[in-house]
Amino acid sequence: MIALLLFLLLGTLLFWFIKHQYSYWNRRNFPCDPDTNIPCGCLTSVVKHEKSMGVALYDAYVKAKSPFIGIYLLFRPAVMIRDAELARQILIQDFTSFHDRGVYVDEKRDRMSCNLFSLRGQSWRTLRQKLTPTFSSSKLKAMFHTSDDIGDKMVEHLNKILPDEGRAEVDIKEILVTYAIDIIGSVIFGLDINSFEDPKNKFRCLVHQARRNNLINANIGMLIFLCPSIIKYLVRLGFKNKTAVGLREILKDTIEYREKHNIIRKDMLQLMMQLRNTGKIAEDDDNWSTKANTTTGEENEFTLDDIAAQGFIFYIAGQETTSSAAAFTIFELAQYPDLLARAQNEVQEVLARHNGQLSYDALQEMPFLDLCLQETNRKYPFPFLSRECTRDYTIPGTKHVIEKGTPIVVPLLGIHRDPQYFTNPMIYDPDRFSPSNPNYNANAYMPFGVGPRQCIALRMGKINSKLSLVKILQNFDVEVMSKREIIIDNHSVGIQPKGGVKVRLSKKEKPCY
Ligand code: HEM
């Protein structure tokens, strides 16, 4: 009897709490969706496992009309910024009121959660300053040969699986995921791996755990964004991210091996070891040493756990984005023969100018491929940017106040596919970005985010996507196919193509140069 009463009491309290939460925007006279679904708000389709979080937010964007709107992410009131100019105002000019993402981080008890993406306030600022030199163009240039090498291994692999004559269908996304994973394994974790030859290597198996399409991964991904406190409790109860723990072990072994044998390898791990040992990354581009000359008192502030935390987030943030940008570009070019021919000709001409040698500099001479990647990143962006309001903020020109602690969502997929910003948004048209005749609203274009928290590795992402495109266009013919759209899978936070990205390739009789 007591149990039943308790159950009824708890049920009533929960019902009251949810009802109260769901009246939040109405109580504030804030524009909001009148048909909000209790108890999951605009994420109902995600909870039912029908749509991905990115697509659910896209749907909410399309349904609404006002420049900003109060929404409910599960039972958390949040603000969706629909207007591109207002989004920029928040992300750039008014950054001091929105400097955090509000995702899970626990600086005191879980060092492995302290990555650049999650950290808040001054901790984020300090780390960002320290890590920024890692991604300078000169450092990336020094690491270029590693990516180039992995690109060659991808070509070797494709040559093995394609017939000598005729075409075959390949899932180009999966191939490019392997390429991107190996770049991260090599450049960031300092490993010498070839997942094309040895797909069961330890690193690839580990990171595949985090990519697996299952309900647990999908929900944890969502909870990190929406309910950081639930993740905090799970961690305190002993929940461990096995991938992150495994990656830490790999890094520990590699660092010890390098230090024992005095090995200097020009990669990001070397720079992070330098940061750990000397307190900063050297401005001198030729200095990759990890030996501390002076005692700055800062040496131990950046620890092995910090290196592992950054390595893990670089993997998460870099692998899917880089491979998607290249895969979706090939997929789109295959549907537009004129664009495909222009891309192929550009690769041919530039390689001819450089005696067939693909270098960092040669890559910079391919402006049409840049336009293609710009257009791909428009049509297939990471679906949303997130921030947390860090002090009460009055929306300019209105009386509406966003309270401190409220999550902010900028629905990039919606904005990037909105005809008011990009005419015929579903048409793949790289020339809309032509510098001499641009045809788009520049405020609305933010595939790498904008403001102080924009992607720290945008140069690296662009170079590695472009490099893989060149390798494919240089060595293979892409069969033209009829117009079609990617179907976005219902799991994951970003744009996961259902069934992969299938294109038909054939070996070129003679690789262009
Ligand atoms: C085509 C490739 C890429 C795309 C489209 C992309 C996109 C993005 C976006 C949209 C954000 C959020 C920005 C914001 O909130 O304003 C971001 C942040 C970030 N990205 Fe990338 N990214 C790419 C490649 C990479 C790579 C290769 C790495 C690492 C090796 C990386 C590391 C990060 C990190 C650490 C952040 C958080 C930055 C901070 O909060 O200070 N990204 N990226």
Side-chain angles (χ1 to χ4, degrees):
M1 185 65 182
I2 294 182
L4 182 68
L5 280 176
L6 221 65
F7 181 73
L8 282 176
L9 184 68
L10 277 177
T12 315
L13 280 176
L14 187 67
F15 178 75
W16 179 85
F17 167 74
I18 293 175
K19 271 300 252 188
H20 183 72
Q21 281 297 90
Y22 273 75
S23 64
Y24 181 90
W25 293 122
N26 281 334
R27 279 183 274 128
R28 278 166 180 71
N29 270 331
F30 203 93
C32 66
D33 178 3
D35 338 299
T36 297
N37 290 318
I38 298 178
C40 301
C42 65
L43 298 182
T44 305
S45 56
V46 184
V47 174
K48 288 186 182 163
H49 216 49
E50 290 167 359
K51 291 189 179 171
S52 71
M53 187 166 158
V55 174
L57 291 171
Y58 172 82
D59 291 345
Y61 174 89
V62 172
K63 195 171 165 203
K65 295 287 166 264
S66 52
F68 53 90
I69 174 169
I71 56 172
Y72 297 94
L73 300 173
L74 302 182
F75 28 81
R76 264 187 102 182
V79 177
M80 175 180 278
I81 306 295
R82 293 185 69 262
D83 178 73
E85 266 180 54
L86 178 58
R88 278 189 177 255
Q89 173 92 29
I90 283 178
L91 296 167
I92 307 173
Q93 288 93 330
D94 297 333
F95 179 75
T96 46
S97 306
F98 300 94
H99 49 72
D100 297 339
R101 287 214 170 77
V103 297
Y104 162 71
V105 62
D106 187 347
E107 284 194 54
K108 280 203 186 109
R109 295 173 196 231
D110 182 10
R111 273 318 281 177
M112 291 287 291
S113 69
C114 299
N115 63 59
L116 189 66
F117 189 85
S118 323
L119 275 172
R120 295 161 188 251
Q122 192 52 44
S123 304
W124 163 76
R125 203 179 305 274
T126 309
L127 183 62
R128 176 101 188 188
Q129 271 166 4
K130 286 182 174 174
L131 289 176
T132 296
T134 319
F135 296 93
S136 72
S137 37
S138 46
K139 296 276 193 300
L140 293 177
K141 203 170 172 175
M143 297 177 217
F144 179 77
H145 69 95
T146 310
S147 304
D148 188 38
D149 212 38
I150 294 167
D152 288 340
K153 287 173 179 148
M154 174 178 74
V155 171
E156 258 170 52
H157 173 72
L158 278 168
N159 271 322
K160 270 189 202 151
I161 59 170
L162 289 174
D164 284 337
E165 280 179 23
R167 307 178 152 85
E169 187 179 77
V170 293
D171 179 358
I172 199 69
K173 175 72 196 302
E174 211 37 49
I175 303 258
L176 286 159
V177 163
T178 304
Y179 161 84
I181 287 179
D182 275 13
I183 290 188
I184 289 173
S186 184
V187 170
I188 294 169
F189 288 82
L191 303 170
D192 195 8
I193 44 170
N194 181 353
S195 303
F196 292 108
E197 283 281 310
D198 172 21
K200 293 216 162 86
N201 69 66
K202 192 172 164 196
F203 180 74
R204 191 163 186 265
C205 291
L206 251 179
V207 294
H208 258 271
Q209 284 180 6
R211 284 193 76 229
R212 214 165 279 156
N213 167 19
N214 60 30
L215 212 56
I216 297 184
N217 277 351
N219 288 336
I220 297 254
M222 195 163 77
L223 289 180
I224 286 175
F225 276 101
L226 302 180
C227 307
S229 42
I230 294 186
I231 299 284
K232 204 174 234 176
Y233 286 116
L234 286 177
V235 171
R236 286 186 189 173
L237 287 173
F239 171 84
K240 278 203 167 70
N241 179 338
K242 285 191 190 141
T243 307
V245 174
L247 292 178
R248 182 187 182 280
E249 284 313 300
I250 290 183
L251 279 170
K252 184 168 171 279
D253 293 347
T254 313
I255 292 173
E256 280 172 6
Y257 185 79
R258 280 193 192 182
E259 292 193 326
K260 190 168 165 204
H261 298 278
N262 278 326
I263 292 172
I264 292 187
R265 191 175 184 261
K266 291 191 176 179
D267 58 21
M268 287 199 183
L269 177 58
Q270 191 74 21
L271 296 174
M272 287 199 278
M273 286 164 64
Q274 190 178 64
L275 176 56
R276 183 192 66 164
N277 295 0
T278 69
K280 66 179 178 98
I281 291 169
E283 275 161 32
D284 172 3
D285 287 330
D286 295 325
N287 179 0
W288 294 73
S289 163
T290 55
K291 296 218 165 66
N293 297 328
T294 51
T295 306
T296 62
E298 291 180 90
E299 290 91 314
N300 294 326
E301 279 185 12
F302 195 72
T303 62
L304 171 67
D305 279 348
D306 294 309
I307 297 183
Q310 309 326 310
F312 182 62
I313 198 65
F314 290 165
Y315 159 72
I316 296 283
Q319 169 267 125
E320 198 57 46
T321 45
T322 306
S323 56
S324 295
F328 293 144
T329 303
I330 296 285
F331 173 79
E332 290 286 356
L333 289 178
Q335 298 174 52
Y336 294 85
D338 296 354
L339 301 178
L340 179 61
R342 278 167 73 187
Q344 282 165 332
N345 290 342
E346 183 172 81
V347 171
Q348 165 92 39
E349 278 167 25
V350 175
L351 286 176
R353 266 206 304 277
H354 288 262
N355 299 320
Q357 289 302 309
L358 183 57
S359 62
Y360 185 89
D361 292 330
L363 213 58
Q364 311 307 315
E365 293 173 24
M366 299 181 186
F368 183 65
L369 284 194
D370 285 329
L371 296 188
C372 292
L373 281 167
Q374 265 178 285
E375 176 65 339
T376 305
N377 284 328
R378 174 198 66 81
K379 195 172 169 192
Y380 306 96
F382 186 78
F384 60 94
L385 305 176
S386 61
R387 296 289 185 273
E388 183 175 271
C389 179
T390 42
R391 64 171 171 222
D392 286 2
Y393 177 80
T394 306
I395 298 180
T398 75
K399 288 192 176 132
H400 295 296
V401 174
I402 304 179
E403 274 189 324
K404 182 178 170 184
T406 309
I408 306 293
V409 171
V410 177
L412 271 195
L413 186 60
I415 293 178
H416 279 192
R417 292 187 178 189
D418 187 334
Q420 69 162 311
Y421 298 126
F422 301 91
T423 40
N424 297 325
M426 294 313 281
I427 303 268
Y428 187 77
D429 176 16
D431 289 315
R432 69 173 88 234
F433 292 102
S434 156
S436 57
N437 188 20
N439 176 24
Y440 71 106
N441 182 326
N443 281 332
Y445 186 64
M446 16 189 175
F448 293 93
V450 287
R453 269 205 109 136
Q454 75 165 182
C455 178
I456 191 171
L458 95 181
R459 259 196 226 113
M460 182 180 177
K462 284 182 188 173
I463 287 169
N464 288 330
S465 319
K466 197 173 175 185
L467 174 64
S468 61
L469 279 182
V470 175
K471 295 277 176 197
I472 292 171
L473 295 174
Q474 179 187 4
N475 292 283
F476 305 100
D477 282 322
V478 181
E479 185 177 280
V480 172
M481 62 189 183
S482 57
K483 295 269 180 306
R484 60 197 72 177
E485 291 295 340
I486 292 284
I487 298 175
I488 303 177
D489 218 336
N490 58 354
H491 67 277
S492 142
V493 181
I495 298 186
Q496 273 293 347
K498 192 170 181 159
V501 178
K502 303 278 172 52
V503 289
R504 291 176 72 80
L505 299 181
S506 58
K507 292 180 187 175
K508 265 192 200 300
E509 275 181 21
K510 198 166 147 250
C512 61
Y513 248 93

